[in-house]
C-alpha cells in the first residue's frame, strides 16, 4: 500500500465530481502529492542527521531536535494528504452502496421493475449531502493542518539557528538546521496550495448549494 | 512479497463482507498500513543510529538500545497488521471451498442453478456465518493482545526522551537519549487510536451478525 495505490483508489472519484472537484483532485495529485513524493521528502530526509549543535555533549542534539521539531513537516503533510483525500472515498462508497441496492432490487423484483435511481452517480438526494459533507470535511482538514503548522512552526518558516538550553545541553547551545531556505520554500509552496484547495472546496460547496 | 500482496489477497474478501467489514478493511489499508509505510517507517528509520548514550564505552549503546527496545514498534505493528488481517483469509478459503463443492456437484450431474453458481455474491449463512464470526472474534483477540504487548513492553504508550541504563558493559549509570521521542509518541498514539477504532468496528460487526441471526431464528419459529 503506497501513494500509487492510493492514487488509483481515488481516480475513480473523478466520475462523480463537478468540474471544481476535478480541478481540486488534479491540484492535489500534481501540486501536492507529486511535489511531496519527488521533492519534499528528499529535502527533509537528512533533517536529523544534519541538525548540528555547537556542543560535544552527547544527547544534546537529540533533545534539541525533538524540542524544535515535535512532529516533522513531512509526517504532517503525509497525514494531511491522506486525511484530505479520504472524504472522496465516502462518495465512492455511497455510489457503490446505491449500485448494490439497485442490484438487490433487480434481483428481488425481476429485470423489468422500475429502477430505484435514474443514475446512481447523479448527485441527488443522499449523495448530494454526502458530497457536500465531503467538501466541508476536506476544507476543514486543510484548515486544521494549516493551524497545526502555524502552532508548531511560527510564521511557517524555519530559522537558520535555534538556541537550545534543555538538559543535558550545557547553558545555551546554538543548533543549526539543515537546508532552512529550501525547507521554507517548500513549506510556503505547500501552504499556498493548501489555501488554494480550501478556496476551491468552498467555491464548489457554494456552487452545489446554488445549483440546488 | 510486500504489503501489496496482502492487499491483493484481502481485496477478494471485500466482496463477501458486511458493510461494517468493508469499512474495517478500508480503515486497515488507509489509516494503518499506508500510514505505516509512508510515515511511521521513516520516523523509526534512524532509531538505532541516533540513539545516543553519554559514554565512550564500546558496546554500551548497543546493549542499552537492545534493553529498552527489545522489539521495535515498527516490527510489532507489522506483525499486528499481518495477524489481524489473517482471519479474513479463513473466510476467503471457506468461500472458495463452497464454490469448489458446488462446481463438483454440478459436474456430477446434480441440478444446480448455473446463474447462482456464476453469481459471485455468497450470503453469510450457515457454516459461513460461523467462519465469519470466528474470524471477527480472532481479529478482536489479536488486536487486544498486541495492544497489551505494547503497553507491557514500553510501560505505557509514551516514548521518553531520556533513559537511564546500567546494563553491562556500561559504567555505573549512563544517560541515553532516544531520537525523535515526540514524533514517535504521536504516531504510537495515532496507531493506538486507529487500532481502538478497528476493535470497535469489529465488535459492532459481531453484534450485528449475532442480532441478525437471532432475528432470523425468531422469525422462523413464529
Amino acid at each position: 500500500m503506497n501513494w500509487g495505490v492510493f492514487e488509483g483508489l481515488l481516480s475513480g472519484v473523478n466520475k462523480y465530481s463537478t468540474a471544481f472537484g476535478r480541478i481540486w483532485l488534479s491540484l492535489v495529485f500534481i501540486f501536492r502529492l507529486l511535489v511531496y513524493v519527488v521533492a519534499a521528502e528528499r529535502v527533509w530526509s537528512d533533517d536529523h542527521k544534519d541538525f548540528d549543535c555547537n556542543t560535544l555533549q552527547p544527547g544534546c542534539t537529540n533533545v534539541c531536535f525533538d524540542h524544535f521539531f515535535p512532529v516533522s513537516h513531512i509526517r504532517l503533510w503525509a497525514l494531511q494528504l491522506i486525511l484530505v483525500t479520504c472524504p472522496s472515498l465516502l462518495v465512492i462508497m455511497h455510489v457503490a452502496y446505491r449500485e448494490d441496492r439497485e442490484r438487490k432490487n433487480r434481483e428481488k423484483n425481476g429485470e423489468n421493475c422500475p429502477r430505484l435511481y435514474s443514475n446512481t452517480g447523479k448527485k441527488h438526494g443522499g449523495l448530494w449531502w454526502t458530497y457536500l459533507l465531503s467538501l466541508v470535511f476536506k476544507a476543514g482538514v486543510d484548515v486544521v493542518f494549516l493551524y497545526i503548522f502555524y502552532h508548531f512552526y511560527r510564521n511557517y518558516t524555519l530559522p537558520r539557528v535555534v538556541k537550545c538550553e534543555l538538559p543535558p545541553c550545557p547553558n545555551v547551545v546554538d543548533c543549526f538546521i539543515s537546508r532552512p531556505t529550501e525547507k521554507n520554500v517548500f513549506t510556503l509552496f505547500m501552504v499556498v496550495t493548501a489555501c488554494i484547495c480550501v478556496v476551491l472546496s468552498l467555491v464548489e460547496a457554494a456552487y452545489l448549494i446554488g445549483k440546488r | 512479497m510486500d504489503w501489496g500482496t496482502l492487499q491483493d489477497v484481502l481485496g477478494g474478501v471485500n466482496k463477501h463482507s458486511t458493510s461494517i467489514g468493508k469499512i474495517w478493511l478500508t480503515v486497515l489499508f488507509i489509516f494503518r498500513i499506508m500510514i505505516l509505510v509512508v510515515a511511521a517507517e521513516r520516523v523509526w528509520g534512524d532509531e538505532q543510529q541516533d540513539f545516543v548514550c553519554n559514554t565512550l564505552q564500546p558496546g554500551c549503546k548497543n546493549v542499552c538500545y537492545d534493553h529498552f527496545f527489545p522489539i521495535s514498534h515498527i516490527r510489532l505493528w507489522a506483525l499486528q497488521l499481518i495477524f489481524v488481517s489473517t482471519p479474513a483469509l479463513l473466510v476467503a478459503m471457506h468461500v472458495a471451498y463452497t464454490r469448489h463443492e458446488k462446481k463438483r456437484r454440478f459436474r456430477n450431474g446434480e441440478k444446480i442453478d448455473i446463474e447462482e453458481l456464476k453469481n459471485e455474491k455468497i450470503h453469510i449463512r450457515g457454516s459461513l456465518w460461523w467462519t465469519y464470526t470466528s474470524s471477527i472474534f480472532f481479529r478482536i483477540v489479536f488486536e487486544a493482545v498486541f495492544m497489551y504487548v505494547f503497553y507491557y513492553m514500553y510501560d505505557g504508550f509514551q516514548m521518553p526522551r531520556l533513559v537511564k541504563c546500567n546494563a553491562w558493559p556500561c559504567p555505573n549509570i549512563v544517560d541515553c537519549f532516544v531520537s525523535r521521542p515526540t514524533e514517535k509518541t504521536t504516531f504510537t498514539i495515532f496507531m493506538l487510536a486507529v487500532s481502538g477504532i478497528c476493535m470497535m468496528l469489529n465488535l459492532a460487526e459481531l453484534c450485528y451478525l449475532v442480532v441478525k441471526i437471532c432475528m432470523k431464528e425468531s422469525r422462523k419459529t413464529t
Side-chain angles (χ1 to χ4, degrees), chain A residues 5-102:
Chain A
V5 175
F6 193 60
E7 194 191 319
L9 257 168
L10 288 168
S11 309
V13 90
N14 236 350
K15 279 195 295 242
Y16 315 116
S17 304
T18 60
F20 291 111
R22 289 183 189 140
I23 297 172
W24 181 91
L25 209 67
S26 310
L27 203 79
V28 167
F29 278 151
I30 297 172
F31 291 100
R32 294 174 79 178
L33 198 52
L34 189 64
V35 167
Y36 171 87
V37 169
V38 307
E41 273 193 329
R42 314 285 164 88
V43 176
W44 269 266
S45 62
D46 55 6
D47 62 346
H48 198 288
K49 237 188 301 157
D50 288 332
F51 182 77
D52 274 329
C53 288
N54 188 2
T55 180
L56 289 172
Q57 171 63 46
C60 178
T61 314
N62 281 23
V63 165
C64 292
F65 182 84
D66 185 60
H67 181 256
F68 288 101
F69 298 96
V71 183
S72 170
H73 291 67
I74 283 288
R75 254 63 74 182
L76 282 175
W77 281 327
L79 278 172
Q80 181 177 8
L81 286 169
I82 291 172
L83 287 173
V84 110
T85 39
C86 275
S88 306
L89 291 176
L90 282 177
V91 174
I92 297 178
M93 290 204 281
H94 193 142
V95 174
Y97 164 76
R98 276 186 169 188
E99 282 174 353
D100 200 48
R101 259 188 91 197
E102 187 77 67

Side-chain angles (χ1 to χ4, degrees), chain A residues 166-207:
Chain A
L166 300 156
C169 304
N171 307 308
V172 182
V173 161
D174 288 337
C175 291
F176 300 87
I177 296 177
S178 89
R179 311 181 204 244
T181 311
E182 206 167 359
K183 288 180 178 168
N184 288 338
V185 166
F186 275 97
T187 307
L188 203 66
F189 183 88
M190 296 296 260
V191 164
V192 165
T193 46
C195 291
I196 295 174
C197 284
V198 170
V199 167
L200 263 174
S201 297
L202 294 173
V203 164
E204 196 181 353
Y207 166 74

Side-chain angles (χ1 to χ4, degrees), chain A residues 122-152:
Chain A
K122 210 158 167 80
K123 287 184 281 297
H124 285 152
L127 189 61
W128 186 90
W129 283 104
T130 306
Y131 196 81
L132 188 68
L133 257 155
S134 78
L135 288 174
V136 169
F137 193 73
K138 279 185 215 171
V141 163
D142 267 330
V143 168
V144 164
F145 271 89
L146 281 171
Y147 174 72
I148 290 175
F149 264 102
Y150 182 76
H151 179 76
F152 279 156

Side-chain angles (χ1 to χ4, degrees), chain A residues 58, chain B residues 53-61 171 174:
Chain B
C53 287
N54 188 2
T55 180
L56 291 172
Q57 171 64 48
C60 174
K61 183 183 120 154
V174 161

Side-chain angles (χ1 to χ4, degrees), chain B residues 147-159:
Chain B
M147 273 200 216
Y148 175 72
V149 164
F150 261 105
Y151 186 80
Y152 176 75
M153 229 182 239
Y154 295 104
D155 250 328
F157 298 108
Q158 190 171 17
M159 184 72 81

